[in-house]
Amino acid sequence: MRDKKNNVILEEYDNEFSYERSKTNLNIEFNRVAFIFFVFLIISVIYSIQLLHLGSLKKMMNNIKPTITKKNYRADIIDRNGNYLVKTVDSINVGIHPAKVIDKKHLLLMLNHIYKNKNFSEIKNKLDQDKFFYLEKNIRPKRYEELMMLGDKSISSEASLIRLYPQDNLFSHIIGQIDGDNNGISGIEKFFNEELKKINEPLKLTVDLDIQFLIREELLRFQKIFKAKGSAAILMNVNNGEILSMVSLPDFNLNKRETIKDVNYINRITKGTYELGSVFKTFTIASGINAGLIEPDTEFLDSKKIISCGKNHNIEEYDNKMPSDLTVEQILIKSGNIGSVRIARKVGIERHKSFLKTIGILDKIDFDIAEVGKPLAIDWNEGCKLETIAFGHGITTTILQLAKGYSIITNGGFDIKPTLIKKISDSNEKKKVLKNDVSKKMNSILRKVVSEGTAKLVNVEGYQVGGKTGTAEQVNNSIYSNIKINTLASIFPTENPKYVLVVMLESTKNNKEYIYEYRDGSGFKLKGSPRNTAGWTSVEAAGKIIDKIGPILATKYIEN
């Protein structure tokens, strides 16, 4: 009995012992599961928070632009019809503040993942300094998003602006260039630098994109045909001075922002000063008419082929077949040198000098860009200065001033100010600087120069073109060379002039293969250039230009 009792007690003890051990194991298993669950819970919470953060960041990236104030704002520039010539576009610059970098190695690792081909030795050197630096300017939206999603406080962004030139080369000499800080350094960009930073509306110019394109295309073509070193053309309203087109070749692509040092890229309309030859004979005759000393039918008889003036200086007629007896009108039609000299002597130095000053030929012109040439000073008492100026030698001016002069003598004698800026309304106040009958008489003569004289190839049907040719020899080291400056100054329509068109080709050569088509209705064609003169180069180019732009002018600006 005692043994049984002991056995029972032993069994109860064993069961109790066994139970306690099972309870301990259960607690251990429960604690392990709870710990694992807790770890997963923490990871899930962290992951969820990260997803929410990234989602909100991405949404912010899609909807919110940098709040940094834009720098270097510049207004857009448009042509007279609202076409963009210059456009300012929003952009973003991203930079790094080295002082705010917490972990440089981690930052470089992240940047290396975004920028596969960037020079990181340079970035590392900059990070070792305390000065802020730009990581990338004009950044693409996708890359900007990648950088901002790094969440690094050392990376900051600023709103910026890009200056774009949709027309590339087309208006390069007019618009000009800007520097790296968006400040104008030439052209309209420089002259109106402060205004472009302040005005909210686009700056409207007087130029016409379509006309500019057509004139440039023809200039490029004829520059190639006659192998010219450069060329230029200006089309201007003779009544208000608005410039519809101003082309100088060679030109350059404004979007490339290249530093141009080659003098051949000079603005030949405004900056280059030239002796322009026989186009000045028009001024000589207009000066005489304005002084009341001659009329178109005034005769100059018994003119010699050579005359002397000054010390050992002779002036010759360019054509030995020039008649000895000519009227004033015929002198201009046939482009006589001696006849022009005789008229100038009749007018005298003081009156002719005053006339040229009145029409804006002698002094530096006030214009809308800084690139403006200054005509060389003239010693009127030196040698044969009056006589040579009578036919365009010994006097320099710009093509812009030539266009102004032709405008004044053909628009009724009213002064004008050439401009590239479109005004809200034209001023009704006009200053009359020449006598009433000068324009009427001069327009008739200029018309005959085209219909009968040296400029027949610009006699475009329906446009009543009038004008005068000028073939001048370039001066190199104070010596006249064989290099030609060939110019046509034209106005149309002569019955009531609206436009002046000046075309200049520099350093031309004859073309033996070019086919000329006469405009006299005969259908006659001529192969090859007979002479390297304005009548066979610039006049031909001007005729083709008017063929192209004439219909636009006749329809678009019929009321203007």
Side-chain angles (χ1 to χ4, degrees):
M1 288 292 293
R2 186 175 297 172
D3 292 338
K4 289 182 180 179
K5 187 176 181 180
N6 290 337
N7 289 337
V8 169
I9 291 172
L10 181 61
E11 289 177 3
E12 288 177 355
Y13 179 81
D14 289 340
N15 288 340
E16 185 177 349
F17 179 80
S18 177
Y19 170 77
E20 289 297 331
R21 187 177 63 177
S22 298
K23 184 177 179 181
T24 301
N25 289 341
L26 180 63
N27 285 337
I28 292 172
E29 292 295 331
F30 176 80
N31 290 339
R32 185 178 297 165
V33 171
F35 176 75
I36 293 172
F37 176 78
F38 179 74
V39 170
F40 274 105
L41 179 63
I42 295 298
I43 292 173
S44 298
V45 170
I46 294 173
Y47 182 73
S48 299
I49 292 173
Q50 184 69 9
L51 285 177
L52 289 172
H53 172 70
L54 292 176
S56 62
L57 183 59
K58 188 170 184 179
K59 184 177 180 181
M60 179 189 71
M61 293 297 303
N62 290 333
N63 298 317
I64 302 177
K65 295 180 179 180
T67 56
I68 307 298
T69 304
K70 293 179 182 178
K71 296 197 306 181
N72 302 326
Y73 165 81
R74 295 179 76 82
D76 299 335
I77 302 176
I78 58 177
D79 81 341
R80 65 189 301 119
N81 300 308
N83 297 303
Y84 281 100
L85 309 183
V86 185
K87 181 71 176 172
T88 297
V89 180
D90 290 336
S91 178
I92 299 173
N93 298 332
V94 175
I96 296 178
H97 298 272
K100 296 182 179 180
V101 177
I102 297 175
D103 189 336
K104 292 182 181 180
K105 290 184 178 180
H106 180 264
L107 178 60
L108 285 170
L109 183 64
M110 293 298 99
L111 291 177
N112 189 45
H113 178 70
I114 296 173
Y115 294 96
K116 304 295 184 183
N117 300 315
K118 206 168 184 68
N119 184 354
F120 277 87
S121 61
E122 182 181 349
I123 294 178
K124 187 177 180 181
N125 291 334
K126 289 182 177 180
L127 284 174
D128 292 335
Q129 303 173 16
D130 292 331
K131 186 178 180 181
F132 170 84
F133 66 92
Y134 285 107
L135 184 64
E136 184 176 359
K137 290 187 176 182
N138 306 326
I139 193 169
R140 298 192 309 272
K142 183 178 179 181
R143 181 165 288 172
Y144 171 63
E145 182 178 335
E146 291 175 336
L147 286 170
M148 292 298 102
M149 288 181 69
L150 293 178
D152 196 307
K153 292 183 178 180
S154 67
I155 300 176
S156 66
S157 64
E158 65 176 13
S160 183
L161 300 168
I162 305 175
R163 199 72 164 158
L164 298 179
Y165 302 90
Q167 313 308 328
D168 294 336
N169 296 47
L170 191 55
F171 293 93
S172 57
H173 287 287
I174 295 175
I175 299 299
Q177 294 182 295
I178 58 173
D179 61 17
D181 296 320
N182 272 2
N183 290 312
I185 56 176
S186 62
I188 291 289
E189 292 278 31
K190 178 180 180 180
F191 199 84
F192 292 92
N193 187 55
E194 296 305 316
E195 290 82 351
L196 288 167
K197 292 180 180 180
K198 298 175 183 177
I199 59 177
N200 295 320
E201 297 297 321
L203 179 65
K204 180 178 280 191
L205 304 189
T206 59
V207 294
D208 184 298
L209 188 151
D210 296 330
I211 292 176
Q212 179 88 351
F213 174 82
L214 292 172
I215 291 179
R216 181 177 180 270
E217 287 296 297
E218 289 303 309
L219 271 188
L220 284 170
R221 187 163 75 92
F222 280 98
Q223 186 168 295
K224 184 177 181 180
I225 289 171
F226 297 117
K227 299 179 181 179
K229 176 183 178 183
S231 59
I234 181 172
L235 178 72
M236 184 170 70
N237 187 313
V238 301
N239 297 305
N240 59 20
E242 288 188 354
I243 296 171
L244 279 77
S245 175
M246 190 173 83
V247 180
S248 178
L249 297 175
D251 51 25
F252 48 93
N253 189 335
L254 292 170
N255 289 302
K256 292 184 177 180
R257 290 176 169 80
E258 297 175 324
T259 300
I260 299 173
K261 297 181 179 180
D262 188 346
V263 295
N264 197 38
Y265 284 84
I266 189 174
N267 188 332
R268 285 173 162 80
I269 297 291
T270 65
K271 183 66 174 177
T273 56
Y274 306 94
E275 286 193 14
L276 296 169
S278 295
V279 290
F280 268 75
K281 293 172 182 175
T282 302
F283 299 147
T284 302
I285 291 174
S287 178
I289 293 175
N290 189 63
L293 299 172
I294 58 173
E295 294 292 333
D297 60 356
T298 300
E299 294 182 320
F300 284 82
L301 306 177
D302 300 322
S303 294
K304 299 177 181 179
K305 297 296 184 294
I306 301 176
I307 59 174
S308 299
C309 68
K311 295 181 180 179
N312 303 319
H313 187 82
N314 294 328
I315 296 175
E316 301 180 6
E317 197 62 82
Y318 85 94
D319 185 357
N320 287 329
K321 297 180 180 180
M322 187 71 66
S324 298
D325 300 338
L326 294 171
T327 64
V328 168
E329 181 179 85
Q330 290 170 334
I331 290 171
L332 194 61
I333 293 172
K334 295 182 179 296
S335 196
N337 289 342
I338 304 303
S340 298
V341 170
R342 293 182 67 181
I343 293 172
R345 284 176 169 175
K346 194 175 185 71
V347 174
I349 289 178
E350 291 306 318
R351 275 186 294 208
H352 194 46
K353 177 181 177 181
S354 176
F355 178 84
L356 293 176
K357 190 176 183 68
T358 296
I359 63 173
I361 297 297
L362 299 181
D363 302 317
K364 184 177 180 180
I365 193 170
D366 180 20
F367 193 49
D368 299 327
I369 60 176
E371 294 76 31
V372 175
K374 183 179 180 180
L376 295 176
I378 299 172
D379 182 356
W380 288 84
N381 297 313
E382 177 189 357
C384 301
K385 192 60 70 175
L386 173 65
E387 287 81 359
T388 59
I389 286 175
F391 55 91
H393 283 224
I395 183 171
T396 64
T397 196
T398 65
I399 292 175
L400 177 63
Q401 290 170 275
L402 181 71
K404 176 180 179 177
Y406 267 74
S407 295
I408 294 173
I409 67 171
T410 60
N411 71 4
F414 294 97
D415 191 19
I416 63 163
K417 184 182 185 302
T419 183
L420 289 164
I421 307 302
K422 183 66 177 173
K423 307 298 190 299
I424 296 176
S425 61
D426 293 333
S427 174
N428 292 323
E429 296 182 6
K430 290 186 177 182
K431 180 182 178 182
K432 195 169 183 63
V433 294
L434 301 182
K435 292 182 178 178
N436 290 330
D437 59 347
V438 174
S439 292
K440 184 176 180 180
K441 294 171 181 177
M442 289 306 304
N443 293 343
S444 176
I445 301 174
L446 291 171
R447 175 64 186 139
K448 291 180 180 179
V449 173
V450 171
S451 61
E452 305 173 17
T454 58
K456 293 177 182 177
L457 291 172
V458 77
N459 192 19
V460 182
E461 185 177 358
Y463 293 97
Q464 295 182 351
V465 182
K468 182 68 187 77
T469 55
T471 302
E473 298 170 335
Q474 275 191 313
V475 178
N476 290 328
N477 299 321
S478 301
I479 300 174
Y480 285 102
S481 68
N482 292 324
I483 301 173
K484 300 292 181 65
I485 297 286
N486 291 334
T487 309
L488 172 76
S490 64
I491 52 103
F492 59 96
T494 51
E495 185 176 309
N496 182 24
K498 290 186 178 181
Y499 305 105
V500 56
L501 172 67
V502 179
V503 176
M504 184 272 280
L505 297 174
E506 181 180 346
S507 187
T508 54
K509 295 178 177 60
N510 286 337
N511 186 314
K512 296 179 180 180
E513 302 300 322
Y514 183 75
I515 305 296
Y516 294 90
E517 298 181 9
Y518 280 34
R519 295 180 181 270
D520 58 1
S522 65
F524 180 78
K525 296 181 180 181
L526 177 67
K527 183 178 180 180
S529 309
R531 289 180 296 278
N532 185 10
T533 62
W536 295 102
T537 55
S538 299
V539 175
E540 176 69 0
K544 298 299 184 182
I545 287 173
I546 295 175
D547 282 336
K548 295 289 180 66
I549 69 173
I552 298 177
L553 295 174
T555 54
K556 187 185 287 187
Y557 303 112
I558 192 169
E559 298 298 328
N560 298 325

